[in-house]
Amino acid sequence: MNKGFSFSEFSKQSPKGLLIIYLAEIYKVLKLFWIFLFILFKDFSKFTSYGIIYIYLGVFVLLSFLFIRSYLIYLNFQFKVFNDHFILKKGILKKTNIEIPFQRIQNINFKQNIVQQLIGVFEVNIETAGSNDTEIAIKALSLEKATALKKIVSTAKFTDLNLKKEKELEPILTISPFALLKVSLTENHLQNLLLFLAVLFGFFNQIQQVSESLGQSEVLGGLITDSTSNLSTNLVLLFIVLVLLTLIALLSSFVKVFLLHFNLTAYLKKDAFEINQGLFTKKTIVLKKEKIQTITFSTNPLKRAIGISFVTFKQAVSGKTKKKKKERPIRLVGCKQEQLEVIKNTVYSNLDVLEKQKVYPNSYYAKRLFIYAGLFLLVVYSLLYFIFNHIEIAYSLVLVLPITILLILKKIKKRFYKISDSMIVVGKGVLETHLIFLNLFKVQHIQLKQSIFQKKSKVATIILQTASGKINLPCISYLEAIQLYNHTLYKVETSKKSWM
């Protein structure tokens, strides 16, 4: 299968990778300067013949410069495998050498965007933990070379790492487009709507800058003012806008789910899950069992009504992650109960924790939530009164207070933990319900915190730090906190299992 690829000598990407790098460089320029291009083409007819020649010449020089830069990036990007290390050289003027031991490599994933699909190459992402440089992307490799590299570097002993599945291997999860539609209906539509409005606001902000540069800011401002005035005085138009916003929220949820999870298929291998998904950008992720830090099972009333849940896998991330690179958990959507059981039984050898009794926070937790909510509402309504100077604003508390109380009660009810000899399950949520599963030996740091007020109420907060983030157990009985603290420390110190 690997056709003799050993990678003992430095290798370059496929020559087709030059096109991928070149297009990426052009995209960066367009992303930065699209507003100037908009102005340029808007007044293109006003330029003289000499001006047009200079424009064409400038575009040619820019594209030539980007091509030379892309070629140098391609030429200097070389990698090899030596002594159980992945070694990478890259850079044009500033040379960078990266050496990663195999045991620190967390995943090697395949990815294809539209261009890569058309020219028949794969992007290979090498993800690591415990480093600032947490990902290496090889933009263009043939399937054979990518698979060979994955087979050599990966510590998982798969017999076949080809993207084509063995006939006898049945997927544990397959999501059809109709199933994705049902999944999208259970999404957080408000969040997607706010994201859409943020993009729209950013676009109008750019248009406003263009109009100011062209001396048309008053016309645009007058148009917005008139439209806002008409909207506020026309109830029918306001109703239509609300309906449109609702449709946009639903449509944006579906588009987001469809693009990310199209053709979602999950396979269960000997010691790993293999997940394929994506429409324009196809991804193949091999998720090894020992690399998983926590698994979160999520549901809400709509999901329960149609019998599905979401599963989120979290792996180790660096403690000093770059701001641009955020933690990217792996999610399986539209899972049914039998599929959840397969995942649980595959990752965890003992699930007796589910039979344990739930431990809820002390009543101090509820008091704290109600006090914080009361103070927040007091500040908000005080500001609203000083801004609008209408006492009638307080009438909305008739609706706001019951909703706030209901949400707090739901948050209290869903906050609990169960603990066994080797595992802990943490429940949390407000509208959604989340169950977090964690093996105690994967805890890297445990902290017991107690404020002055907590000390008076004889409660404490436990913080479990894992390689994928923190898990909080707020305001539990101090005696229970001490027992949990000592038990977790004991399991961590005596366990000989690897946390990743």
Side-chain angles (χ1 to χ4, degrees):
M1 175 66 197
N2 63 18
K3 294 187 178 181
F5 295 124
S6 64
F7 302 101
S8 57
E9 301 294 332
F10 277 109
S11 300
K12 293 187 179 69
Q13 303 177 71
S14 167
K16 298 176 182 177
L18 179 59
L19 174 62
I20 302 295
I21 298 170
Y22 186 46
L23 292 177
E25 291 296 312
I26 293 175
Y27 174 74
K28 289 178 185 177
V29 173
L30 291 176
K31 189 176 179 180
L32 288 173
F33 301 108
W34 72 270
I35 194 69
F36 298 105
L37 293 175
F38 176 82
I39 297 172
L40 182 67
F41 284 108
K42 182 179 181 299
D43 296 328
F44 192 76
S45 59
K46 299 179 181 179
F47 287 100
T48 63
S49 57
Y50 289 106
I52 293 174
I53 292 174
Y54 285 126
I55 291 173
Y56 284 143
L57 183 61
V59 171
F60 174 77
V61 170
L62 177 61
L63 292 177
S64 300
F65 170 77
L66 292 178
F67 180 80
I68 295 172
R69 173 179 167 80
S70 301
Y71 180 73
L72 292 175
I73 292 173
Y74 164 77
L75 198 64
N76 291 293
F77 191 100
Q78 301 180 46
F79 59 93
K80 73 174 182 177
V81 173
F82 176 74
N83 197 21
D84 290 340
H85 283 66
F86 179 85
I87 300 171
L88 172 69
K89 296 194 306 183
K90 64 177 182 178
I92 302 176
L93 297 178
K94 181 182 177 181
K95 304 291 185 179
T96 302
N97 293 322
I98 300 173
E99 187 171 330
I100 305 172
F102 285 0
Q103 62 267 26
R104 222 184 72 207
I105 293 177
Q106 190 161 269
N107 274 322
I108 302 180
N109 302 322
F110 290 171
K111 182 179 176 182
Q112 271 189 313
N113 58 31
I114 295 179
V115 177
Q116 288 165 334
Q117 291 177 49
L118 289 174
I119 64 178
V121 295
F122 288 80
E123 179 177 331
V124 179
N125 290 327
I126 300 177
E127 298 178 355
T128 66
S131 168
N132 285 343
D133 298 319
T134 53
E135 183 175 304
I136 294 171
I138 304 174
K139 294 294 185 181
L141 287 180
S142 66
L143 175 59
E144 293 80 8
K145 199 168 184 177
T147 303
L149 177 64
K150 189 172 185 179
K151 189 171 184 178
I152 292 173
V153 174
S154 178
T155 57
K157 297 178 181 178
F158 299 124
T159 57
D160 184 10
L161 290 171
N162 194 347
L163 292 182
K164 298 177 182 179
K165 305 298 174 293
E166 300 172 5
K167 293 181 179 179
E168 64 271 19
L169 194 63
E170 293 293 332
I172 61 170
L173 175 66
T174 302
I175 300 295
S176 65
F178 179 71
L180 284 179
L181 174 61
K182 292 195 294 184
V183 168
S184 68
L185 294 176
T186 66
E187 284 286 283
N188 188 337
H189 304 301
L190 179 60
Q191 182 185 44
N192 292 327
L193 178 60
L194 291 177
L195 180 62
F196 173 81
L197 293 177
V199 173
L200 196 63
F201 178 78
F203 175 75
F204 276 115
N205 187 43
Q206 295 281 2
I207 295 298
Q208 185 177 10
Q209 293 178 12
V210 174
S211 64
E212 287 177 357
S213 66
L214 298 175
Q216 301 294 325
S217 58
E218 294 182 0
V219 176
L220 182 62
L223 179 63
I224 295 174
T225 302
D226 293 341
S227 301
T228 305
S229 177
N230 292 333
L231 182 62
S232 61
T233 57
N234 193 325
L235 293 178
V236 176
L237 186 58
L238 181 62
F239 175 76
I240 292 173
V241 170
L242 291 176
V243 171
L244 286 175
L245 288 176
T246 302
L247 292 176
I248 290 171
L250 292 171
L251 182 61
S252 60
S253 295
F254 175 72
V255 170
K256 178 182 175 182
V257 169
F258 196 78
L259 292 179
L260 289 176
H261 304 294
F262 177 76
N263 198 28
L264 172 59
T265 309
Y267 293 84
L268 176 58
K269 293 190 172 183
K270 184 178 179 181
D271 57 354
F273 297 98
E274 183 169 317
I275 302 167
N276 302 318
Q277 61 182 350
L279 180 59
F280 295 138
T281 301
K282 295 182 179 180
K283 293 183 180 179
T284 296
I285 301 170
V286 176
L287 180 62
K288 290 178 281 188
K289 186 173 72 172
E290 66 270 17
K291 303 292 186 182
I292 298 172
Q293 299 298 307
T294 64
I295 300 181
T296 302
F297 300 90
S298 306
T299 187
N300 61 32
L302 284 175
K303 291 184 178 73
R304 281 194 295 269
I306 60 178
I308 63 171
S309 296
F310 286 26
V311 181
T312 304
F313 300 93
K314 285 191 176 181
Q315 302 179 96
V317 295
S318 171
K320 295 180 179 180
T321 307
K322 287 182 178 180
K323 290 183 179 180
K324 290 183 179 180
K325 183 177 175 61
K326 297 182 180 179
E327 179 187 354
R328 290 181 289 180
I330 300 167
R331 173 182 278 192
L332 289 178
V333 302
C335 295
K336 297 182 179 179
Q337 185 60 39
E338 58 269 21
Q339 293 157 345
L340 300 182
E341 296 301 322
V342 170
I343 293 171
K344 291 177 187 176
N345 293 323
T346 300
V347 179
Y348 303 109
S349 57
N350 191 346
L351 289 169
D352 60 344
V353 67
L354 297 175
E355 300 172 1
K356 301 297 181 180
Q357 188 175 0
K358 292 180 180 179
V359 180
Y360 292 94
N362 186 273
S363 58
Y364 174 84
Y365 179 65
K367 294 176 185 177
R368 190 178 72 173
L369 288 179
F370 279 112
I371 290 172
Y372 286 168
L375 291 174
F376 176 76
L377 290 177
L378 179 62
V379 170
V380 169
Y381 275 89
S382 298
L383 290 174
L384 290 175
Y385 176 74
F386 283 115
I387 293 172
F388 298 103
N389 198 23
H390 286 293
I391 193 65
E392 291 81 3
I393 292 173
Y395 296 160
S396 62
L397 285 170
V398 177
L399 180 62
V400 172
L401 274 179
I403 293 175
T404 303
I405 293 172
L406 178 63
L407 293 177
I408 291 175
L409 292 176
K410 279 187 168 294
K411 185 178 180 68
I412 295 169
K413 183 180 179 181
K414 293 180 179 182
R415 173 62 81 168
F416 67 88
Y417 73 90
K418 295 181 178 183
I419 188 167
S420 66
D421 182 63
S422 59
M423 283 191 66
I424 187 170
V425 174
V426 179
K428 65 177 185 177
V430 181
L431 297 178
E432 289 199 336
T433 302
H434 306 285
L435 286 179
I436 305 171
F437 285 68
L438 170 66
N439 278 319
L440 291 177
F441 75 87
K442 295 205 172 188
V443 174
Q444 293 188 315
H445 175 71
I446 181 169
Q447 185 178 7
L448 190 150
K449 295 178 65 177
Q450 192 179 40
S451 66
I452 298 174
F453 303 105
Q454 286 178 322
K455 192 171 184 179
K456 288 182 179 180
S457 300
K458 297 181 180 180
V459 298
T461 295
I462 291 289
I463 301 174
L464 303 173
Q465 177 70 57
T466 71
S468 63
K470 296 180 180 179
I471 299 175
N472 293 337
L473 304 176
C475 304
I476 60 178
S477 165
Y478 183 72
L479 292 177
E480 292 172 351
I482 290 293
Q483 291 175 358
L484 194 151
Y485 181 88
N486 291 332
H487 177 68
T488 303
L489 275 182
Y490 172 76
K491 298 304 295 185
V492 172
E493 293 295 332
T494 59
S495 176
K496 295 182 180 180
K497 299 179 181 178
S498 174
W499 59 271
M500 65 166 288

